[in-house]
Amino acid sequence: MNSLNFILLLVCFTPVSLQNGAEFTHLQSDLLNLLEIKEKPSVSRSRSQVPKYVMDLFKEQAHTSGFTKFGKSAPGKTIRTFFRDASVSADEHRFYFNLSSLQPNEQIKKAELRIFKRRSKLENTHGHFKVTVHRLNRRAVDGSTGSWKRKLTTVDTKLIKCRRVGGWIVLNVTSAVAFWSSWPSRNFGLWITVVGFGIPHSDFYIATGGRKEPILVIYGDNQEKKQDKSPKSVNEIPNETRDASSQQTRRKGKNNDDTPFTFTRSRRSVDDKCARRKLFVKFRDLNWDKWIIAPRGFSAFYCMGTCPEIIDKYFNPSNHAIIQNLLHHRYNKKIPAACCVPTSLHSMSLMYFELDGSIVLREYSGMVASTCGCR
């Protein structure tokens, strides 16, 4: 993702007239490619339909600016949330999820089927339900008692206590999703059976619609190139990294530039020295705020300035940078001087709608320049 910094810098110093034309369209396309998103989705769902569990995952692992919290990495670098496709089958026992957006290089770490059981309507709730989820090995036929029901592979079973209040039930379906990842054409969905002990199984009601819609959550990791991701505690990160979105809100209306990137230009004298400069990316001005759920924007920052002839420890130089800079100033100007570059990068979490209406929560490494120095 290091090339993202170059593109962000490029747009900062690009005339607004170009940004509003073909060049800006190309920039959007380049950014989508770097984020490994095929194309800008046409949103079929609203933010109000985002499950609370998914929003809580984002809040737990990232600040409002999107900066990933130290030590708060999610169970997977990429978390996908799929909604039940009711158009495939109207049978309340069958749960089909279209997993076509799963990437071939994604490693499935865990998968959960999350269903919300409505509160019991019984006077006497002293009993249990045995809930079993199966993987269908043949295409189900609604209203049929054919042989497909005898071709079920048990995936997970749970005993659920009958209660007067509703609650979420989480079933481990990792084996089923891993199978479908290898054999996509064999995805016929999941089948749930319920047996009541001390109570009728008909009292088991699964909620549908809204934020209680059954969802399939897949935790995965992308096979990406290794980068320098030396972590720092939150206390070592300047405050503007964590609170950039709120700062941008307070400054709203003060910047008349139409560019979707807010940045600081270096001034002469001491400010020309190598330092980290502010660079805030606003998704709203990129026309991406409809499909990017969170954050509203993020602070990427960039490094700019000159390195002094004798580089002290403040600039966090390498020994090679010190020697190269001395040779440049005192021996031969043809030898390049040391450059002002990021010396540590940190990740950012992004949650967005996919083309198929599913939700992706992904951690992108190397998105935020945390410190700058001479190298």
Side-chain angles (χ1 to χ4, degrees), residues 97-155:
F97 301 90
N98 184 351
L99 306 183
S100 58
S101 59
L102 273 179
Q103 301 299 311
N105 63 339
E106 283 189 42
Q107 296 178 338
I108 309 300
K109 296 182 67 176
K110 186 172 68 171
E112 296 175 341
L113 174 65
R114 305 179 70 89
I115 57 177
F116 189 88
K117 179 195 172 299
R118 294 190 180 276
R119 66 182 182 88
S120 175
K121 297 181 180 180
L122 300 176
E123 293 276 344
N124 181 7
T125 59
H126 297 293
H128 293 77
F129 296 104
K130 179 183 178 182
V131 183
T132 305
V133 58
H134 312 269
R135 173 170 57 82
L136 284 164
N137 291 309
R138 292 187 181 180
R139 192 178 305 278
V141 180
D142 290 348
S144 170
T145 58
S147 61
W148 62 269
K149 283 190 177 181
R150 296 192 296 270
K151 298 292 184 180
L152 300 175
T153 299
T154 301
V155 177

Side-chain angles (χ1 to χ4, degrees), residues 145-290:
T145 58
S147 61
W148 62 269
K149 283 190 177 181
R150 296 192 296 270
K151 298 292 184 180
L152 300 175
T153 299
T154 301
V155 177
D156 193 19
T157 300
K158 275 197 172 181
L159 282 177
I160 308 297
K161 187 176 180 180
C162 183
R163 298 181 183 274
R164 293 189 184 279
V165 294
W168 285 96
I169 299 172
V170 181
L171 297 161
N172 189 332
V173 293
T174 306
S175 61
V177 173
F179 178 84
W180 295 331
S181 178
S182 300
W183 305 90
S185 62
R186 302 287 298 276
N187 178 9
F188 301 120
L190 300 169
W191 187 267
I192 287 184
T193 58
V194 179
V195 178
F197 295 93
I199 47 176
H201 72 274
S202 58
D203 186 60
F204 192 93
Y205 298 98
I206 298 176
T208 57
R211 291 198 168 185
K212 295 178 181 178
E213 178 78 14
I215 56 175
L216 176 65
V217 182
I218 300 176
Y219 307 85
D221 274 340
N222 281 1
Q223 298 175 346
E224 54 184 20
K225 295 180 180 179
K226 299 291 183 182
Q227 298 182 24
D228 180 16
K229 298 184 287 184
S230 54
K232 289 183 178 290
S233 67
V234 173
N235 292 332
E236 295 180 64
I237 307 302
N239 288 333
E240 61 267 25
T241 306
R242 304 194 297 273
D243 305 324
S245 61
S246 59
Q247 291 180 11
Q248 291 300 321
T249 302
R250 290 195 296 268
R251 290 195 295 265
K252 188 177 180 180
K254 295 182 180 180
N255 183 10
N256 295 323
D257 194 354
D258 291 332
T259 175
F261 302 89
T262 303
F263 61 98
T264 56
R265 299 180 186 274
S266 61
R267 294 173 294 177
R268 292 185 178 180
S269 70
V270 68
D271 283 348
D272 279 338
K273 289 186 178 180
C274 177
R276 192 180 72 154
R277 318 289 175 172
K278 293 180 181 179
L279 172 60
F280 188 78
V281 182
K282 298 175 285 186
F283 294 135
R284 173 175 53 82
D285 292 340
L286 277 170
N287 296 322
W288 286 2
D289 59 315
K290 299 297 183 184

